Amino acid sequence: MKVNLKIVRSQRRLSNLFRGILSDNPVLVGGMALPFLVVPAVSLQNGVALFCAMLLIHLPTVLVLFFLRKFLPDWSRVMVIPVVASLFLIVAYYGIQPLSPYISDSLGIYFSLLPACSMIFAGCSHMLEERKPALGKTLLRNLCNVIGFGLVACIVGGIREFFGTGTLWGRPMGLSGISSFQMAFAGFLLVGFLAVGARLLHRLVLRLGGGVPKKLLKEAAREVPKHD
Amino acid sequence: MNLTVRRAPHIRISETNRTLMVDMIISLVPLYIMAYLYYGIRALYLGVWGILVAVAADCAGVLLRREKLNVRDLSSVVTGMMVPLLLPASISYTTVAVAVLFGILVAKQPFGGVGQNIFNPTAAGIAFVTLSWPNQVLRYPTPLAELELFGDVTAQLSESPAYALKMGGVPIIDPIDMLLGNFKGPMGATYILVIAACLLYLLVRRTVRWNVAIPFLGVVAVMALLFPRANLTWAESIAYEMFSGSLFFGAVFLINDPVTSPKHRQAQILYGVLAGVLTMLYRYFGGLEQGVVFAILIVNALSATLDKFSEVLPDLITWIRRKHGEGQSQDRSQPEKTL
Amino acid sequence: MFSRSHKGGVLLQQNKEPAFSRETKRFVKPDGFQYIEGRKPAKEGETLPPQEIIDIAKQAQIVDERDGVFLWRKLQDGLEGQKLLTVLGDALDDEPYVSSQMNPMVFYPEQAAAGLRLAAQALGTEKMAFVVYREIFDLRKPLPKQIGNIPVWALKGRYPSEIYLNLDLAAESPFPIGVCALIHLSRAVYENRVQTTCFLTVAGNCVATPSNYEVTVGMTASQIFDRSGLADDPTRIIAGGPMTGVCITDPDTFRVGPTTRALLALRENERDQHFSCIGCGRCIDACPVGISPYHLYHNIKKGRYYQLDRYHVQRCIGCGACSYVCPARLELSYLIFEAKKQKYIQGEGGSEQ
């Protein structure tokens, strides 16, 4: 079947923006931000807190750097990105307080380490390396990355809380906990199995439509130029 | 004439993977007999249950990976037999199943099944249940006590001599009892004489080689001699360190696992020494008295690196010799003429 | 402590009887003899100049059965080299069943000794010996200690013994020539005969009367089996030794050559077993040249051919010891030797063009 590649490419370009959620998940595929899932994500609450904090740190950092990009020499990136991110850490601290008053204590040192996360650095430097970054696309892509991270954080936190202490969001679920689920190695194992699951899901999606809607494929096949 | 074509060599040694595994099984059976004598029929039931779960999990894993099922391969049976032997006889059937499932579905099959796993499935399963239910796993019934076949065990459970040693106390075991296994401990790991006979059998059959087990035991003995944990004479210290708990069982059955140990002789010796040092460090500074499975898991992760190291080493030595101008005399590593 | 030992190899059950003790049988076509034209046969005790011996070997078209190289070419190379060589009459039948060098050496001692003397003469050296493999325990009569005043050295060690030829006798600078080629050389010099025959062992559990034959080059395998008789229907016919030989599918069209050392007819009922490598490391212990078949196999299976140099694939001699000991019955030796060929032998051929 001959396919008009222009249509497919434009479609791919669109779907590339949403890759961060599943097919190019920063945690499961990229292997970034692992320590935050392995150690502090021991409960669903912590997972949600990590999600919110990441949202409040990552997106504003990208936004600020988008406007600062012309004044930044390449060598200064390593310093500027964590510094800007640390500024928004203060915002994030107050942002996650409504979840629970003890939330930043239960995240521990890993909360303060969030600005040094590889995900933020990668997202910003990707934007800085583009020739003409578009604000909307950059924000959308990074939002999807954060959503991908948050999804994994919530799933890992939920599973570890459910099996580790027998509760979910602090409510008892009628199960006695297995203490090893609260340990770091269980986080590693869970992330590993989730990576397998994500791969499987991605493959299923590809098999169902190849990421391109069937209607569009038909349309594209019809629009093959005559001289071809 | 129906002639088949095969690659050379056309004669093969009579041993196969299967005979190696059968050797392991043969050496595990006496431990089950001893467990039966000390703890009754529950020990055998636990063993059979472990085997059933292991084989089912292994088959499920192989089918999930869409590979051909090989029923004749007995490696999962060995895993299923070893796991209950490292647990107390009072352990619940669920815990055995969880340990076996963890070992096979997490430590073995995701890496690619038989021969591909980095971590020893038995050690991984035991480590997981030890961390998950330490109160259940590390409290043992007295030998010759009556144990119910199914359901919760009502017999009194208490800590093993290894725990007393961990707490800085002095365990009191009669030497004869120690050799025969008449003290509290894992279901199959206390019969020192029987396990020593198994080691001898496996060494004579060349199913395992001395390169790993003997350095491991040697290092443990030396460290026990130099740094006794309690107020003990040197002989007592060595005997208690080596024979209380699951160390001796681990030295014979876990650390010799061909899949997870290094392949070169030098690397194997280094591996055994490292495992011994780590086990003793776990005993000195760890939180639980169960140290050997964790130590084995850690050195398992190092075995490929040790192999690479020993692969590079001869080249390094020849290079250094050349550098110092004495390389020509004894350089036998490259026969010039290949025939 | 850390230097890698080369005492690898495997100890094989040799199964050389009864073929070894039986007299070499002649199975030669009536028109099979050819003679060198325009030359008188030399007399006993006559001293010939080296170049003439080499010329005779060239006219007689003698092929060394060890490696399939023309004898005159080997002698020429040895003569041009400056070293003082030890000429070795190679009767190292270290593969099971095969005795096609030892047997002619024992039953034609005069010819073998004369051939060895001629070869030594051609190379301008006095040092010579026969070498045999020592680790054969099932022989009915012991191997001789001397053949025509030439000592017989028994080489100890495991299969493959060729390695020990190069390692243990390195100080003597060995120059091995197959015993069959030496017998043919003495026949060429003293009887004017061209090499038209070759020695081979016919054995295996299907052969009715296992023995050594001297057959005309170019006979088919089925002709030879007709002569020796088959007691059973074989499932596998091997040309060459059981460790390095190749299977043949059609005995009617397979013709024996000077390097065919044996024809084995075996019957086995062995099933294919799909075992996977369990990493026991026995292949590493068995490897006589000290490389690691385990790592090579895994790199080949994963397609990482660039890694093979790191594990010294070029040292592989294709002896088959690793495959022999493998409990998973993997085709280690075949895969590694093929990879070596692809990487080195074919690669060099490509660069020449």
Side-chain angles (χ1 to χ4, degrees):
Chain A
M1 185 172 67
K2 283 179 182 171
V3 175
N4 191 339
L5 286 177
K6 266 186 189 170
I7 294 182
V8 175
R9 268 185 209 137
S10 70
Q11 222 280 335
R12 274 278 151 79
R13 217 169 285 145
L14 196 67
S15 70
N16 271 355
L17 294 177
F18 298 96
R19 284 199 326 191
I21 295 178
L22 177 66
S23 67
D24 198 13
N25 191 302
V27 182
L28 300 181
V29 180
M32 289 184 276
L34 270 180
F36 304 100
L37 297 176
V38 171
V39 189
V42 287
S43 66
L44 185 57
Q45 214 167 34
N46 282 10
V48 174
L50 279 172
F51 178 30
C52 296
M54 190 59 103
L55 198 69
L56 289 176
I57 297 171
H58 193 155
L59 290 187
T61 310
V62 171
L63 195 68
V64 169
L65 282 172
F66 179 80
F67 294 114
L68 284 182
R69 71 182 188 279
K70 295 218 170 123
F71 313 105
L72 281 181
D74 277 357
W75 53 266
S76 67
R77 253 188 239 166
V78 181
M79 289 166 281
V80 173
I81 294 171
V83 168
V84 174
S86 306
L87 285 179
F88 292 104
L89 187 70
I90 302 162
V91 181
Y93 178 78
Y94 291 104
I96 61 169
Q97 285 302 313
L99 284 172
S100 157
Y102 311 109
I103 190 72
S104 59
D105 289 337
S106 75
L107 287 181
I109 182 84
Y110 287 91
F111 177 67
S112 346
L113 282 177
L114 269 177
C117 170
S118 54
M119 209 179 111
I120 295 174
F121 192 82
C124 293
S125 45
H126 184 251
M127 182 263 297
L128 291 173
E129 273 159 18
E130 270 179 298
R131 204 182 290 156
K132 281 183 186 170
L135 183 58
K137 274 185 185 173
T138 308
L139 281 182
L140 187 60
R141 192 175 56 229
N142 284 309
L143 180 68
C144 288
N145 276 353
V146 173
I147 290 173
F149 169 82
L151 267 178
V152 181
C154 292
I155 294 171
V156 169
I159 294 176
R160 285 174 76 179
E161 189 184 0
F162 185 75
F163 287 105
T165 59
T167 57
L168 207 55
W169 202 272
R171 280 187 213 125
M173 305 297 283
L175 211 91
S176 66
I178 304 166
S179 54
S180 56
F181 268 89
Q182 298 275 309
M183 295 179 184
F185 82 91
F188 274 115
L189 290 179
L190 271 178
V191 170
F193 278 102
L194 282 180
V196 175
R199 215 183 131 110
L200 198 71
L201 203 62
H202 184 217
R203 213 181 276 174
L204 277 178
V205 169
L206 280 185
R207 187 171 292 177
L208 287 179
V212 184
K214 269 195 181 145
K215 200 174 159 192
L216 200 77
L217 264 181
K218 270 183 194 166
E219 207 174 296
R222 214 185 309 132
E223 283 186 18
V224 173
K226 281 273 164 62
H227 63 266
D228 211 30
Chain B
M1 268 188 269
N2 273 328
L3 295 179
T4 55
V5 176
R6 279 195 199 186
R7 314 279 185 214
H10 304 282
I11 45 172
R12 295 292 181 105
I13 204 163
S14 58
E15 283 171 36
T16 62
N17 280 4
R18 195 176 151 78
T19 56
L20 296 187
M21 292 301 168
V22 167
D23 270 345
M24 289 305 261
I25 291 172
I26 288 173
S27 59
L28 285 169
V29 163
L31 297 181
Y32 270 101
I33 295 173
M34 292 301 284
Y36 169 69
L37 294 178
Y38 276 113
Y39 298 107
I41 195 98
R42 185 184 167 98
L44 300 186
Y45 273 58
L46 283 170
V48 171
W49 171 241
I51 293 172
L52 284 179
V53 175
V55 171
D58 205 51
C59 290
V62 171
L63 290 179
L64 259 179
R65 284 188 292 116
R66 296 188 194 171
E67 281 183 11
K68 208 173 168 190
L69 208 59
N70 191 356
V71 195
R72 294 168 62 79
D73 176 32
L74 296 170
S75 62
S76 55
V77 174
V78 174
T79 306
M81 281 178 90
M82 277 195 221
V83 166
L85 288 177
L86 277 166
L87 295 170
S90 59
I91 200 77
S92 70
Y93 289 88
T94 341
T95 315
V96 171
V98 168
V100 171
L101 286 177
F102 186 87
I104 286 187
L105 292 184
V106 175
K108 184 178 171 190
Q109 289 294 345
F111 292 95
V114 187
Q116 308 283 324
N117 45 325
I118 299 171
F119 299 104
N120 185 319
T122 315
I126 296 294
F128 182 72
V129 292
T130 309
L131 290 175
S132 299
W133 299 285
N135 286 337
Q136 221 191 90
V137 172
L138 296 177
R139 288 164 66 86
Y140 307 95
T142 330
L144 304 171
E146 287 282 317
L147 295 174
E148 288 86 351
L149 252 188
F150 299 104
D152 290 335
V153 172
T154 50
Q156 205 186 358
L157 304 179
S158 55
E159 278 82 13
S160 69
Y163 180 76
L165 212 56
K166 172 80 214 156
M167 291 287 119
V170 179
I172 302 154
I173 314 173
D174 189 57
I176 301 294
D177 279 350
M178 175 173 265
L179 288 180
L180 292 178
N182 192 5
F183 62 96
K184 285 175 196 163
M187 188 172 107
T190 54
Y191 321 114
I192 302 306
L193 274 184
V194 182
I195 297 177
C198 291
L199 178 62
L200 209 63
Y201 169 76
L202 292 174
L203 283 174
V204 167
R205 288 276 299 156
R206 302 204 174 196
T207 304
V208 306
R209 278 168 299 174
W210 60 269
N211 305 2
V212 183
I214 305 300
F216 175 74
L217 290 173
V219 163
V220 168
V222 166
M223 283 187 76
L225 179 69
L226 295 180
F227 313 106
R229 278 196 284 179
N231 192 10
L232 297 166
T233 63
W234 62 271
E236 280 175 340
S237 173
I238 291 177
Y240 286 139
E241 291 289 359
M242 285 189 35
F243 301 143
S244 71
S246 48
L247 192 145
F248 201 51
F249 185 93
V252 178
F253 293 105
L254 296 185
I255 203 165
N256 278 319
D257 176 17
V259 182
T260 51
S261 56
K263 320 300 172 204
H264 287 291
R265 193 176 301 152
Q266 305 92 328
Q268 280 171 339
I269 293 170
L270 206 57
Y271 175 84
V273 168
L274 265 179
V277 171
L278 269 174
T279 308
M280 291 312 281
L281 288 182
Y282 259 103
R283 292 193 156 184
Y284 292 133
F285 305 113
L288 300 165
E289 70 256 33
Q290 172 74 281
V292 65
V293 291
F294 299 107
I296 285 174
L297 285 176
I298 288 177
V299 285
N300 278 346
L302 292 177
S303 74
T305 316
L306 291 177
D307 250 353
K308 255 177 205 163
F309 179 61
S310 76
E311 188 78 40
V312 181
L313 209 59
D315 298 344
L316 205 71
I317 287 173
T318 26
W319 184 77
I320 290 169
R321 273 193 193 152
R322 285 229 180 94
K323 203 84 173 161
H324 292 277
E326 47 175 309
Q328 290 86 9
S329 57
Q330 287 182 347
D331 187 15
R332 277 187 161 192
S333 57
Q334 280 174 329
E336 285 177 5
K337 211 176 195 180
T338 48
L339 294 156
Chain C
M1 174 193 172
F2 281 107
S3 69
R4 196 177 292 147
S5 83
H6 291 285
K7 298 295 177 193
V10 286
L11 208 56
L12 300 168
Q13 197 183 353
Q14 288 289 343
N15 293 331
K16 292 216 193 293
E17 293 293 350
F20 173 70
S21 298
R22 290 200 177 122
E23 205 175 337
T24 318
K25 293 176 182 169
R26 282 207 168 182
F27 183 39
V28 184
K29 282 184 189 166
D31 57 341
F33 294 108
Q34 286 178 33
Y35 295 92
I36 305 171
E37 287 171 13
R39 179 183 164 265
K40 276 185 191 169
K43 292 196 182 76
E44 290 287 336
E46 193 179 341
T47 48
L48 299 168
Q51 201 55 49
E52 194 177 337
I53 298 174
I54 294 173
D55 280 344
I56 296 169
K58 191 173 182 178
Q59 282 167 358
Q61 298 167 12
I62 299 168
V63 175
D64 190 352
E65 80 277 5
R66 294 178 79 245
D67 39 19
V69 179
F70 279 114
L71 184 63
W72 66 269
R73 198 165 282 166
K74 285 181 90 166
L75 290 175
Q76 192 83 50
D77 287 351
L79 190 61
E80 280 160 14
Q82 295 299 316
K83 267 186 190 170
L84 189 63
L85 301 163
T86 309
V87 188
L88 295 177
D90 173 11
L92 283 171
D93 279 323
D94 52 355
E95 292 192 36
Y97 297 109
V98 184
S99 57
S100 62
Q101 285 177 322
M102 295 154 59
N103 183 280
M105 181 184 79
V106 172
F107 283 96
Y108 300 112
E110 299 87 16
Q111 292 185 10
L116 188 57
R117 282 206 192 89
L118 283 169
Q121 218 170 322
L123 291 167
T125 174
E126 293 288 307
K127 295 200 286 180
M128 51 189 154
F130 287 101
V131 280
V132 293
Y133 186 47
R134 205 180 71 173
E135 321 289 332
I136 309 169
F137 306 110
D138 61 344
L139 297 187
R140 283 192 201 140
K141 56 180 179 183
L143 287 163
K145 294 266 185 278
Q146 264 193 343
I147 292 179
N149 292 330
I150 299 171
V152 177
W153 294 349
L155 208 63
K156 63 179 179 182
R158 302 171 175 195
Y159 171 85
S161 58
E162 268 106 344
I163 285 297
Y164 298 96
L165 199 70
N166 277 346
L167 287 182
D168 291 359
L169 304 180
E172 314 272 347
S173 53
F175 188 84
I177 301 171
V179 163
C180 306
L182 292 175
I183 291 174
H184 289 301
L185 180 66
S186 83
R187 283 177 184 174
V189 171
Y190 297 121
E191 298 169 29
N192 243 357
R193 270 168 55 184
V194 176
Q195 182 184 4
T196 52
T197 58
C198 60
F199 293 94
L200 56 85
T201 309
V202 182
N205 54 9
C206 294
V207 176
T209 52
S211 45
N212 282 283
Y213 286 85
E214 183 182 356
V215 301
T216 309
V217 172
M219 272 188 178
T220 63
S222 53
Q223 272 175 315
I224 295 164
F225 280 126
D226 282 348
R227 169 76 192 266
S228 67
L230 286 177
D232 203 349
D233 218 13
T235 55
R236 211 187 312 177
I237 292 180
I238 301 154
M243 295 298 282
T244 52
V246 287
C247 279
I248 57 181
T249 46
D250 191 2
D252 292 330
T253 55
F254 178 81
R255 293 174 188 281
V256 297
T259 53
T260 313
R261 304 256 290 265
L263 277 177
L264 306 176
L266 300 173
R267 179 167 191 84
E268 292 162 338
N269 38 5
E270 190 186 302
R271 276 192 289 167
D272 278 327
Q273 288 164 328
H274 303 281
F275 289 129
S276 50
C277 173
I278 54 164
C280 59
R282 287 173 187 217
C283 44
I284 298 176
D285 287 349
C287 184
V289 290
I291 58 175
S292 163
Y294 167 82
H295 293 99
L296 285 169
Y297 171 77
H298 280 274
N299 280 315
I300 291 169
K301 276 278 154 186
K302 288 169 190 161
R304 295 195 293 233
Y305 281 82
Y306 57 90
Q307 281 270 351
L308 299 186
D309 279 345
R310 251 195 60 196
Y311 293 105
H312 308 294
V313 69
Q314 73 275 13
R315 287 189 206 164
C316 178
I317 55 170
C319 65
C322 46
S323 299
Y324 174 79
V325 294
C326 181
R329 305 268 152 108
L330 301 172
E331 306 278 8
L332 295 173
S333 147
Y334 169 75
L335 283 173
I336 294 166
F337 202 60
E338 284 297 304
K340 177 195 167 181
K341 271 194 216 160
Q342 265 184 19
K343 231 179 144 105
Y344 289 93
I345 296 165
Q346 286 181 8
E348 282 167 17
S351 63
E352 275 172 15
Q353 285 167 3

